[in-house]
Amino acid sequence: MTMTLHKLLLSAALSLPLLANAQNKPEDFTSSIAITTASVAPYYRLTIPLAAYLNAAHPDLRDLRVFNAAGQAVPFARLTSTGNNEESTRHEALHWFPLYASPSRQAATNR
């Protein structure tokens, strides 16, 4: 019985890489969003739409896949934005100059 258990565990361990490398197909997923590009480029950067988050099975989007038009999975990287919350301020020297009111306006303010 121990030998059978070892064979079972070994076969299960050997099948894990096969399961991990199983090819996903677009039909395997419950929802999809089309990605269209304006030009041909070696890579693209896009913002993941809210619908992808709403339809994801996992909050970290580990079930996200990208397929080309032929239905083949293509490699992708999901990068999180670091975001810079600091405000950028620029100091400029201003030239001061006097502002003179019109004579009618000066008379109105002196009353």
XYZ file of all heavy atoms in Angstrom:
856
model
N 0.827 -1.194 0.000
C 0.000 0.000 0.000
C 0.869 1.256 0.000
O 0.521 2.234 -0.625
C -0.936 -0.023 1.201
C -1.840 1.162 1.233
S -3.232 0.761 2.223
C -4.146 2.202 2.037
N 1.982 1.212 0.686
C 2.874 2.360 0.723
C 3.444 2.646 -0.664
O 3.566 3.788 -1.070
C 4.029 2.107 1.716
O 3.478 1.747 2.962
C 4.876 3.330 1.876
N 3.782 1.585 -1.404
C 4.311 1.756 -2.748
C 3.271 2.403 -3.663
O 3.592 3.275 -4.465
C 4.756 0.410 -3.303
C 5.459 0.519 -4.612
S 6.903 1.528 -4.392
C 7.903 0.883 -5.677
N 2.021 2.032 -3.521
C 0.950 2.611 -4.331
C 0.771 4.087 -3.993
O 0.578 4.910 -4.880
C -0.366 1.846 -4.085
O -0.138 0.466 -4.290
C -1.450 2.332 -5.000
N 0.854 4.424 -2.709
C 0.729 5.808 -2.270
C 1.866 6.649 -2.841
O 1.648 7.760 -3.324
C 0.700 5.888 -0.736
C 0.500 7.279 -0.143
C -0.818 7.871 -0.604
C 0.542 7.220 1.356
N 3.096 6.121 -2.824
C 4.244 6.839 -3.389
C 4.066 7.058 -4.889
O 4.365 8.128 -5.395
C 5.549 6.076 -3.131
C 6.014 6.158 -1.711
N 6.278 7.351 -1.091
C 6.266 5.187 -0.802
C 6.674 7.131 0.143
N 6.669 5.806 0.350
N 3.581 6.029 -5.601
C 3.348 6.168 -7.039
C 2.278 7.212 -7.316
O 2.395 8.011 -8.238
C 2.936 4.830 -7.654
C 4.067 3.866 -7.818
C 3.569 2.623 -8.502
C 4.682 1.611 -8.663
N 4.225 0.391 -9.318
N 1.237 7.221 -6.475
C 0.158 8.190 -6.642
C 0.669 9.607 -6.410
O 0.383 10.519 -7.188
C -0.997 7.861 -5.692
C -2.203 8.776 -5.757
C -2.858 8.685 -7.130
C -3.198 8.400 -4.687
N 1.458 9.783 -5.339
C 2.010 11.107 -5.050
C 2.985 11.545 -6.137
O 2.990 12.702 -6.543
C 2.693 11.110 -3.690
C 1.770 11.026 -2.480
C 2.576 10.929 -1.194
C 0.852 12.219 -2.427
N 3.797 10.601 -6.628
C 4.741 10.928 -7.674
C 4.015 11.315 -8.958
O 4.359 12.293 -9.609
C 5.681 9.751 -7.932
C 6.750 9.980 -8.993
C 7.650 11.133 -8.581
C 7.550 8.717 -9.201
N 2.996 10.581 -9.308
C 2.249 10.919 -10.522
C 1.532 12.253 -10.365
O 1.441 13.036 -11.302
C 1.275 9.806 -10.895
O 0.281 9.693 -9.909
N 1.028 12.539 -9.163
C 0.379 13.831 -8.918
C 1.406 14.955 -9.010
O 1.148 16.005 -9.603
C -0.310 13.839 -7.569
N 2.605 14.720 -8.460
C 3.646 15.747 -8.500
C 4.128 15.983 -9.932
O 4.418 17.107 -10.325
C 4.813 15.347 -7.607
N 4.201 14.920 -10.719
C 4.633 15.062 -12.105
C 3.572 15.730 -12.973
O 3.889 16.369 -13.965
C 5.009 13.703 -12.697
C 6.283 13.073 -12.125
C 6.469 11.683 -12.699
C 7.496 13.933 -12.401
N 2.324 15.600 -12.606
C 1.265 16.205 -13.409
C 1.063 17.685 -13.087
O 0.448 18.403 -13.874
C -0.045 15.436 -13.222
O -0.504 15.589 -11.899
N 1.579 18.161 -11.959
C 1.413 19.577 -11.605
C 2.006 20.513 -12.649
O 1.340 21.469 -13.050
C 1.997 19.858 -10.217
C 1.165 19.342 -9.051
C 1.875 19.616 -7.733
C -0.209 19.960 -9.044
N 3.234 20.289 -13.122
C 3.725 21.200 -14.165
C 2.879 21.150 -15.432
O 2.718 22.160 -16.110
C 5.144 20.695 -14.445
C 5.527 19.945 -13.228
C 4.253 19.373 -12.672
N 2.318 20.001 -15.745
C 1.465 19.911 -16.922
C 0.201 20.733 -16.744
O -0.256 21.400 -17.665
C 1.105 18.448 -17.208
C 2.282 17.536 -17.586
C 1.795 16.100 -17.713
C 2.937 18.011 -18.858
N -0.347 20.711 -15.538
C -1.540 21.506 -15.263
C -1.223 22.989 -15.280
O -2.007 23.807 -15.747
C -2.155 21.110 -13.921
C -2.754 19.710 -13.840
C -3.196 19.419 -12.408
C -3.906 19.566 -14.796
N -0.050 23.337 -14.770
C 0.331 24.745 -14.734
C 0.567 25.284 -16.139
O 0.329 26.454 -16.411
C 1.586 24.926 -13.883
N 1.031 24.442 -17.042
C 1.315 24.874 -18.402
C 0.144 24.659 -19.354
O 0.285 24.828 -20.549
C 2.549 24.150 -18.947
C 3.803 24.624 -18.263
O 3.872 25.751 -17.809
N 4.790 23.760 -18.171
N -0.994 24.244 -18.824
C -2.160 24.027 -19.684
C -2.508 25.337 -20.370
O -2.518 26.398 -19.753
C -3.337 23.528 -18.867
N -2.782 25.269 -21.659
C -3.064 26.467 -22.428
C -4.478 26.956 -22.166
O -5.435 26.216 -22.337
C -2.873 26.177 -23.919
C -1.449 25.857 -24.295
C -0.523 27.048 -24.085
O -0.914 28.182 -24.348
N 0.674 26.789 -23.614
N -4.577 28.196 -21.758
C -5.890 28.820 -21.598
C -6.387 29.255 -22.964
O -5.608 29.593 -23.847
C -5.801 30.036 -20.688
C -5.533 29.660 -19.257
O -6.052 28.680 -18.763
N -4.708 30.438 -18.587
N -7.682 29.251 -23.110
C -8.314 29.725 -24.339
C -9.289 30.831 -23.948
O -9.802 30.848 -22.835
C -9.061 28.577 -25.022
C -8.140 27.460 -25.507
C -8.936 26.332 -26.095
C -9.527 25.576 -25.004
N -9.671 24.284 -24.777
N -9.565 31.752 -24.843
C -10.514 32.823 -24.518
C -11.869 32.278 -24.061
O -12.541 32.893 -23.237
C -10.635 33.606 -25.820
C -9.369 33.348 -26.546
C -8.963 31.941 -26.160
N -12.267 31.121 -24.573
C -13.564 30.540 -24.188
C -13.587 30.076 -22.731
O -14.650 29.839 -22.165
C -13.905 29.343 -25.088
C -13.917 29.638 -26.565
C -12.526 29.558 -27.201
O -11.770 28.627 -26.916
O -12.218 30.462 -27.990
N -12.411 29.925 -22.109
C -12.340 29.468 -20.724
C -12.745 30.551 -19.725
O -12.924 30.269 -18.548
C -10.917 28.998 -20.390
C -10.491 27.799 -21.206
O -11.380 27.080 -21.707
O -9.273 27.584 -21.346
N -12.885 31.775 -20.185
C -13.140 32.889 -19.287
C -14.577 33.381 -19.456
O -15.147 33.327 -20.529
C -12.143 34.023 -19.567
C -10.735 33.619 -19.268
C -9.953 33.009 -20.230
C -10.204 33.821 -18.011
C -8.659 32.613 -19.956
C -8.914 33.433 -17.727
C -8.130 32.827 -18.697
N -15.143 33.870 -18.358
C -16.546 34.290 -18.365
C -16.759 35.649 -18.995
O -17.851 35.963 -19.439
C -17.111 34.321 -16.936
O -16.314 35.209 -16.159
C -17.119 32.946 -16.326
N -15.727 36.487 -19.019
C -15.882 37.810 -19.617
C -14.612 38.188 -20.359
O -13.541 37.655 -20.105
C -16.209 38.854 -18.549
O -15.148 38.959 -17.633
N -14.776 39.124 -21.291
C -13.625 39.596 -22.055
C -13.839 41.057 -22.414
O -14.964 41.542 -22.475
C -13.433 38.762 -23.315
O -14.528 38.949 -24.179
N -12.732 41.728 -22.637
C -12.754 43.125 -23.038
C -11.797 43.246 -24.218
O -10.657 42.800 -24.149
C -12.301 44.047 -21.887
C -13.245 43.904 -20.703
C -12.227 45.487 -22.350
C -12.749 44.570 -19.446
N -12.258 43.824 -25.296
C -11.417 43.979 -26.482
C -10.416 45.103 -26.274
O -10.739 46.148 -25.721
C -12.276 44.268 -27.700
N -9.188 44.871 -26.722
C -8.145 45.885 -26.688
C -7.855 46.261 -28.135
O -7.489 45.416 -28.940
C -6.862 45.353 -26.022
C -7.135 44.926 -24.586
C -5.757 46.400 -26.076
C -5.972 44.204 -23.937
N -8.049 47.526 -28.472
C -7.736 47.981 -29.829
C -6.625 49.016 -29.729
O -6.578 49.800 -28.775
C -8.966 48.604 -30.509
O -9.470 49.652 -29.677
C -10.051 47.573 -30.712
N -5.739 48.995 -30.704
C -4.611 49.925 -30.715
C -4.630 50.731 -32.002
O -5.131 50.280 -33.025
C -3.284 49.162 -30.601
O -3.184 48.250 -31.688
C -3.219 48.399 -29.288
N -4.065 51.908 -31.946
C -4.054 52.785 -33.108
C -2.896 52.483 -34.049
O -2.944 52.826 -35.218
C -3.965 54.244 -32.651
N -1.850 51.836 -33.544
C -0.690 51.539 -34.373
C -0.070 50.217 -33.934
O -0.411 49.671 -32.896
C 0.339 52.669 -34.257
O 0.806 52.742 -32.922
N 0.857 49.739 -34.748
C 1.572 48.508 -34.420
C 2.831 48.891 -33.655
O 3.587 49.758 -34.072
C 1.933 47.739 -35.706
C 2.748 46.510 -35.388
C 0.674 47.367 -36.465
N 3.043 48.248 -32.520
C 4.213 48.529 -31.689
C 4.631 47.245 -30.983
O 3.834 46.313 -30.868
C 3.873 49.619 -30.675
N 5.866 47.181 -30.505
C 6.310 45.965 -29.824
C 5.665 45.778 -28.449
O 5.584 44.680 -27.945
C 7.817 46.143 -29.706
C 8.055 47.611 -29.832
C 6.936 48.147 -30.682
N 5.217 46.864 -27.842
C 4.516 46.762 -26.566
C 3.565 47.936 -26.420
O 3.679 48.943 -27.108
C 5.495 46.697 -25.385
C 6.379 47.922 -25.250
C 5.975 49.016 -24.513
C 7.615 47.976 -25.871
C 6.758 50.133 -24.387
C 8.416 49.093 -25.765
C 7.988 50.162 -25.019
O 8.772 51.274 -24.912
N 2.619 47.769 -25.517
C 1.610 48.795 -25.260
C 1.454 48.961 -23.758
O 1.689 48.040 -22.997
C 0.249 48.395 -25.842
C 0.290 48.158 -27.329
C 0.484 46.890 -27.841
C 0.130 49.214 -28.214
C 0.525 46.674 -29.204
C 0.170 49.010 -29.568
C 0.372 47.730 -30.066
O 0.423 47.526 -31.403
N 1.036 50.131 -23.363
C 0.690 50.379 -21.967
C -0.756 50.812 -21.950
O -1.175 51.660 -22.729
C 1.560 51.470 -21.378
C 1.103 51.878 -19.971
C 1.999 52.889 -19.384
N 3.100 52.146 -18.792
C 4.098 52.709 -18.152
N 4.176 54.009 -18.063
N 5.028 51.977 -17.615
N -1.542 50.193 -21.090
C -2.936 50.571 -20.999
C -3.395 50.505 -19.560
O -2.785 49.854 -18.718
C -3.811 49.683 -21.881
C -3.801 48.181 -21.584
C -5.030 47.800 -20.803
C -3.758 47.426 -22.887
N -4.452 51.203 -19.290
C -5.072 51.173 -17.971
C -6.139 50.099 -17.992
O -6.953 50.035 -18.915
C -5.705 52.541 -17.646
O -4.682 53.531 -17.717
C -6.332 52.541 -16.272
N -6.129 49.262 -16.983
C -7.115 48.182 -16.909
C -8.471 48.804 -16.592
O -8.612 49.544 -15.619
C -6.724 47.153 -15.836
C -5.393 46.515 -16.218
C -7.799 46.097 -15.674
C -4.829 45.610 -15.164
N -9.469 48.536 -17.413
C -10.781 49.137 -17.183
C -11.451 48.588 -15.926
O -11.161 47.480 -15.471
C -11.580 48.776 -18.434
C -10.783 47.793 -19.177
C -9.411 47.751 -18.619
N -12.340 49.376 -15.385
C -13.059 48.999 -14.175
C -13.811 47.686 -14.357
O -13.898 46.882 -13.436
C -14.032 50.115 -13.775
C -14.861 49.880 -12.523
C -13.969 49.698 -11.299
C -15.831 51.014 -12.312
N -14.319 47.437 -15.550
C -15.061 46.193 -15.819
C -14.197 44.962 -15.566
O -14.693 43.933 -15.111
C -15.582 46.191 -17.243
N -12.897 45.060 -15.830
C -12.005 43.927 -15.576
C -11.923 43.638 -14.088
O -11.911 42.475 -13.677
C -10.620 44.212 -16.144
N -11.880 44.665 -13.268
C -11.857 44.466 -11.821
C -13.180 43.884 -11.334
O -13.213 43.017 -10.465
C -11.573 45.784 -11.093
C -10.153 46.253 -11.214
C -9.788 47.178 -12.180
C -9.169 45.771 -10.366
C -8.479 47.616 -12.291
C -7.864 46.204 -10.461
C -7.524 47.120 -11.433
O -6.228 47.544 -11.541
N -14.277 44.384 -11.889
C -15.590 43.917 -11.453
C -15.846 42.464 -11.837
O -16.537 41.746 -11.126
C -16.682 44.815 -12.036
C -16.670 46.265 -11.560
C -17.714 47.076 -12.307
C -16.895 46.350 -10.060
N -15.301 42.016 -12.968
C -15.535 40.664 -13.444
C -14.453 39.674 -13.018
O -14.558 38.485 -13.315
C -15.650 40.651 -14.968
C -16.871 41.388 -15.442
O -17.925 41.329 -14.820
N -16.742 42.113 -16.536
N -13.422 40.135 -12.347
C -12.316 39.262 -11.949
C -12.746 38.325 -10.823
O -13.541 38.690 -9.957
C -11.122 40.093 -11.500
N -12.215 37.120 -10.841
C -12.500 36.149 -9.780
C -11.655 36.433 -8.543
O -12.032 36.064 -7.441
C -12.245 34.729 -10.281
N -10.513 37.096 -8.727
C -9.602 37.397 -7.621
C -9.306 38.891 -7.595
O -9.088 39.492 -8.646
C -8.288 36.620 -7.784
C -8.483 35.141 -7.857
N -8.685 34.356 -6.750
C -8.538 34.303 -8.925
C -8.834 33.103 -7.124
N -8.756 33.048 -8.446
N -9.263 39.507 -6.424
C -9.038 40.952 -6.354
C -7.668 41.389 -6.876
O -7.501 42.515 -7.302
C -9.176 41.284 -4.870
C -9.366 40.015 -4.148
C -9.515 38.915 -5.129
N -6.676 40.487 -6.870
C -5.355 40.857 -7.370
C -5.203 40.597 -8.869
O -4.114 40.713 -9.412
C -4.266 40.126 -6.599
C -4.369 38.610 -6.729
O -5.334 38.118 -7.351
O -3.487 37.914 -6.201
N -6.283 40.250 -9.540
C -6.340 40.025 -10.983
C -5.421 38.897 -11.461
O -4.947 38.904 -12.578
C -6.018 41.303 -11.760
C -6.979 42.464 -11.580
C -6.523 43.647 -12.404
C -8.389 42.063 -11.951
N -5.193 37.899 -10.611
C -4.337 36.784 -11.039
C -4.986 35.947 -12.131
O -4.319 35.164 -12.779
C -3.934 35.919 -9.848
C -5.062 35.069 -9.295
C -4.609 34.292 -8.112
N -5.081 35.019 -6.946
C -5.291 34.466 -5.779
N -5.019 33.213 -5.600
N -5.754 35.170 -4.789
N -6.270 36.115 -12.352
C -6.956 35.380 -13.417
C -7.014 36.167 -14.730
O -7.615 35.728 -15.685
C -8.358 34.984 -12.976
C -9.185 36.166 -12.507
O -8.598 37.167 -12.073
O -10.415 36.096 -12.549
N -6.340 37.305 -14.786
C -6.307 38.118 -15.992
C -5.395 37.472 -17.035
O -4.297 37.026 -16.722
C -5.778 39.517 -15.670
C -5.680 40.498 -16.811
C -7.061 40.919 -17.268
C -4.882 41.706 -16.387
N -5.846 37.395 -18.270
C -5.060 36.869 -19.385
C -5.247 37.786 -20.587
O -6.277 38.446 -20.722
C -5.495 35.455 -19.787
C -5.391 34.415 -18.703
C -3.935 34.088 -18.371
N -3.851 33.069 -17.354
C -3.896 33.284 -16.042
N -4.049 34.517 -15.581
N -3.805 32.297 -15.184
N -4.254 37.815 -21.456
C -4.326 38.616 -22.677
C -4.141 37.666 -23.853
O -3.210 36.863 -23.874
C -3.239 39.712 -22.692
C -3.304 40.509 -23.978
C -3.391 40.630 -21.488
N -5.040 37.769 -24.830
C -4.997 36.926 -26.019
C -4.897 37.806 -27.254
O -5.443 38.909 -27.288
C -6.263 36.056 -26.120
C -6.420 35.097 -24.983
C -7.198 35.416 -23.890
C -5.786 33.865 -25.008
C -7.350 34.541 -22.835
C -5.930 32.977 -23.964
C -6.709 33.307 -22.866
N -4.232 37.291 -28.275
C -4.194 38.014 -29.540
C -5.434 37.665 -30.349
O -6.294 36.907 -29.896
C -2.898 37.728 -30.310
C -2.746 36.276 -30.695
O -3.676 35.476 -30.619
N -1.546 35.920 -31.120
N -5.537 38.214 -31.560
C -6.734 37.996 -32.381
C -6.919 36.540 -32.766
O -8.042 36.097 -33.014
C -6.652 38.860 -33.633
N -5.824 35.760 -32.778
C -5.905 34.338 -33.121
C -6.285 33.475 -31.925
O -6.391 32.257 -32.048
C -4.578 33.866 -33.700
N -6.482 34.088 -30.752
C -6.860 33.343 -29.558
C -5.688 32.748 -28.811
O -5.868 31.946 -27.904
N -4.461 33.151 -29.156
C -3.272 32.655 -28.473
C -2.936 33.588 -27.322
O -3.002 34.809 -27.451
C -2.089 32.597 -29.443
C -2.327 31.731 -30.641
C -1.322 32.000 -31.741
O -0.861 33.124 -31.902
N -0.987 30.964 -32.487
N -2.558 32.993 -26.187
C -2.166 33.800 -25.035
C -0.854 34.511 -25.340
O 0.053 33.933 -25.938
C -2.011 32.919 -23.808
N -0.783 35.765 -24.988
C 0.440 36.544 -25.190
C 0.977 36.975 -23.830
O 0.218 37.172 -22.881
C 0.192 37.780 -26.090
C -0.192 37.368 -27.486
C -0.859 38.684 -25.502
N 2.297 37.098 -23.712
C 2.864 37.510 -22.427
C 2.498 38.952 -22.092
O 2.372 39.792 -22.984
C 4.371 37.353 -22.636
C 4.579 37.307 -24.092
C 3.306 36.843 -24.719
N 2.329 39.211 -20.825
C 2.021 40.567 -20.378
C 2.541 40.741 -18.971
O 2.814 39.773 -18.268
C 0.505 40.850 -20.435
C -0.294 40.096 -19.416
C -0.639 40.697 -18.217
C -0.691 38.794 -19.654
C -1.373 39.993 -17.268
C -1.426 38.096 -18.719
C -1.765 38.697 -17.523
N 2.706 41.955 -18.576
C 3.124 42.295 -17.213
C 2.132 43.292 -16.668
O 1.747 44.238 -17.342
C 4.525 42.886 -17.204
N 1.712 43.068 -15.458
C 0.793 44.001 -14.803
C 1.599 44.779 -13.783
O 2.090 44.241 -12.804
C -0.345 43.243 -14.132
C -1.498 44.131 -13.749
C -2.674 43.321 -13.260
N -2.387 42.504 -12.120
C -2.406 42.951 -10.864
N -2.693 44.194 -10.614
N -2.138 42.143 -9.877
N 1.773 46.051 -14.052
C 2.553 46.919 -13.174
C 1.613 47.828 -12.418
O 0.671 48.360 -12.986
C 3.535 47.762 -14.001
C 4.442 46.975 -14.948
C 5.222 47.933 -15.828
C 5.365 46.081 -14.171
N 1.886 48.006 -11.162
C 1.066 48.920 -10.373
C 1.694 50.298 -10.413
O 2.907 50.446 -10.430
C 0.928 48.449 -8.911
O 2.238 48.317 -8.355
C 0.221 47.115 -8.843
N 0.860 51.283 -10.438
C 1.325 52.664 -10.466
C 1.786 53.060 -9.075
O 1.101 52.826 -8.089
C 0.192 53.574 -10.923
O 0.593 54.904 -10.832
N 2.958 53.671 -9.005
C 3.449 54.131 -7.710
C 2.775 55.427 -7.318
O 2.578 55.685 -6.159
C 4.973 54.321 -7.741
O 5.291 55.239 -8.777
C 5.680 53.000 -7.962
N 2.430 56.222 -8.294
C 1.719 57.472 -8.026
C 2.526 58.419 -7.159
O 3.103 58.019 -6.164
N 2.575 59.631 -7.525
C 3.274 60.637 -6.753
C 2.241 61.600 -6.210
O 1.650 62.367 -6.952
C 4.298 61.362 -7.632
C 5.168 62.292 -6.835
O 4.991 62.438 -5.627
N 6.118 62.932 -7.495
N 2.003 61.532 -4.914
C 0.979 62.365 -4.296
C 1.504 63.730 -3.868
O 0.749 64.552 -3.389
C 0.369 61.652 -3.089
C -0.432 60.445 -3.508
O -0.873 60.344 -4.645
N -0.617 59.520 -2.592
N 2.799 63.959 -4.017
C 3.357 65.246 -3.624
C 3.028 66.289 -4.685
O 3.080 66.018 -5.873
C 4.872 65.130 -3.479
C 5.298 64.199 -2.375
C 6.813 64.115 -2.296
O 7.480 65.063 -2.757
O 7.299 63.120 -1.773
N 2.698 67.463 -4.207
C 2.415 68.544 -5.138
C 3.725 69.155 -5.607
O 4.660 69.313 -4.837
C 1.560 69.617 -4.464
C 0.126 69.203 -4.262
C -0.708 70.362 -3.748
O -0.318 71.527 -3.960
O -1.735 70.087 -3.140
N 3.769 69.462 -6.850
C 4.953 70.101 -7.404
C 4.736 71.608 -7.375
O 3.771 72.113 -7.932
C 5.167 69.617 -8.831
O 6.223 70.331 -9.405
N 5.624 72.312 -6.726
C 5.514 73.775 -6.675
C 6.746 74.374 -7.332
O 7.852 73.845 -7.219
C 5.400 74.295 -5.230
O 6.511 73.816 -4.473
C 4.118 73.840 -4.587
N 6.525 75.449 -8.019
C 7.612 76.151 -8.680
C 7.598 77.595 -8.203
O 6.561 78.249 -8.212
C 7.392 76.081 -10.186
C 8.570 76.514 -10.979
C 8.329 76.188 -12.420
N 7.796 77.376 -13.068
C 7.369 77.415 -14.309
N 7.360 76.329 -15.030
N 6.921 78.522 -14.821
N 8.728 78.062 -7.747
C 8.826 79.430 -7.242
C 9.379 80.326 -8.345
O 10.413 80.033 -8.929
C 9.730 79.487 -6.004
C 9.192 78.692 -4.858
N 8.184 79.145 -4.046
C 9.484 77.444 -4.431
C 7.893 78.228 -3.145
N 8.673 77.177 -3.356
N 8.657 81.382 -8.619
C 9.046 82.347 -9.640
C 9.120 83.724 -8.999
O 8.273 84.091 -8.194
C 8.014 82.388 -10.770
C 7.926 81.144 -11.591
C 9.065 81.034 -12.584
O 9.610 82.066 -13.001
O 9.406 79.898 -12.928
N 10.134 84.474 -9.371
C 10.235 85.862 -8.908
C 9.264 86.703 -9.736
O 9.272 86.650 -10.961
C 11.657 86.380 -9.076
N 8.398 87.434 -9.050
C 7.412 88.274 -9.733
C 7.861 89.719 -9.717
O 8.418 90.204 -8.735
C 6.041 88.154 -9.065
C 5.414 86.769 -9.064
C 4.100 86.782 -8.300
C 5.186 86.288 -10.487
N 7.605 90.409 -10.781
C 7.927 91.834 -10.866
C 6.687 92.607 -10.431
O 5.616 92.450 -10.998
C 8.322 92.213 -12.291
C 9.519 91.455 -12.772
N 10.794 91.727 -12.329
C 9.629 90.404 -13.616
C 11.643 90.891 -12.900
N 10.959 90.071 -13.688
N 6.866 93.443 -9.403
C 5.752 94.220 -8.893
C 5.677 95.535 -9.642
O 6.678 96.148 -9.973
C 5.933 94.488 -7.402
C 5.809 93.218 -6.600
C 6.799 92.423 -6.170
C 4.599 92.617 -6.175
N 6.305 91.350 -5.500
C 4.942 91.438 -5.477
C 3.248 92.943 -6.303
C 4.002 90.603 -4.926
C 2.319 92.104 -5.744
C 2.691 90.949 -5.067
N 4.485 95.953 -9.914
C 4.281 97.246 -10.562
C 2.997 97.838 -9.985
O 2.079 97.117 -9.605
C 4.217 97.114 -12.090
C 3.210 96.105 -12.572
C 1.917 96.495 -12.865
C 3.562 94.769 -12.716
C 0.987 95.570 -13.301
C 2.635 93.842 -13.155
C 1.343 94.227 -13.450
N 2.945 99.174 -9.899
C 1.761 99.813 -9.305
C 0.558 99.749 -10.250
O 0.699 99.795 -11.460
C 2.199 101.255 -9.076
C 3.286 101.459 -10.071
C 3.969 100.127 -10.263
N -0.599 99.616 -9.659
C -1.854 99.656 -10.406
C -2.563 100.947 -10.024
O -2.815 101.211 -8.860
C -2.733 98.453 -10.059
C -2.204 97.088 -10.433
C -3.146 96.001 -9.939
C -2.037 96.980 -11.948
N -2.861 101.742 -11.017
C -3.535 103.012 -10.767
C -4.987 102.892 -11.195
O -5.295 102.371 -12.263
C -2.851 104.140 -11.552
C -1.405 104.342 -11.155
C -0.386 103.891 -11.981
C -1.087 104.951 -9.955
C 0.937 104.059 -11.627
C 0.234 105.129 -9.578
C 1.243 104.668 -10.417
O 2.547 104.842 -10.054
N -5.856 103.412 -10.352
C -7.280 103.402 -10.675
C -7.593 104.597 -11.566
O -6.879 105.605 -11.553
C -8.112 103.471 -9.406
N -8.665 104.512 -12.304
C -9.078 105.636 -13.145
C -9.527 106.783 -12.244
O -9.948 106.567 -11.118
C -10.194 105.198 -14.083
O -11.332 104.849 -13.334
N -9.450 108.038 -12.718
C -9.825 109.193 -11.870
C -11.252 109.096 -11.347
O -11.529 109.447 -10.207
C -9.665 110.395 -12.795
C -8.716 109.953 -13.860
C -8.918 108.475 -13.999
N -12.204 108.591 -12.120
C -13.582 108.497 -11.632
C -13.687 107.462 -10.513
O -14.476 107.610 -9.589
C -14.536 108.143 -12.770
O -14.163 106.901 -13.343
N -12.903 106.444 -10.600
C -12.932 105.387 -9.578
C -12.295 105.893 -8.288
O -12.726 105.566 -7.200
C -12.212 104.160 -10.087
C -12.346 103.021 -9.155
C -12.412 101.770 -9.893
N -13.012 100.812 -9.003
C -13.269 99.608 -9.308
N -13.004 99.182 -10.506
N -13.803 98.778 -8.467
N -11.214 106.697 -8.420
C -10.577 107.244 -7.235
C -11.533 108.174 -6.490
O -11.589 108.171 -5.274
C -9.300 108.023 -7.621
C -8.126 107.140 -7.868
C -6.890 107.950 -8.186
O -6.968 109.116 -8.592
N -5.735 107.335 -8.025
N -12.300 108.966 -7.209
C -13.255 109.878 -6.605
C -14.324 109.083 -5.858
O -14.779 109.474 -4.793
C -13.880 110.778 -7.655
N -14.759 107.952 -6.406
C -15.805 107.149 -5.776
C -15.295 106.505 -4.488
O -16.038 106.362 -3.517
C -16.303 106.083 -6.737
N -14.046 106.127 -4.447
C -13.517 105.478 -3.249
C -13.147 106.466 -2.175
O -13.064 106.118 -1.012
C -12.278 104.612 -3.596
O -11.314 105.427 -4.238
C -12.652 103.430 -4.474
N -12.906 107.728 -2.526
C -12.554 108.738 -1.532
C -13.763 109.310 -0.820
O -13.631 110.041 0.133
C -11.757 109.872 -2.203
C -10.379 109.427 -2.591
O -9.848 108.468 -2.022
N -9.767 110.119 -3.538
N -14.969 109.034 -1.250
C -16.165 109.602 -0.623
C -16.470 108.976 0.660
O -16.289 108.041 1.164
C -17.366 109.433 -1.526
C -17.290 110.305 -2.701
C -18.561 110.177 -3.480
N -18.322 110.627 -4.828
C -19.204 110.610 -5.756
N -20.413 110.180 -5.526
N -18.942 111.056 -6.938
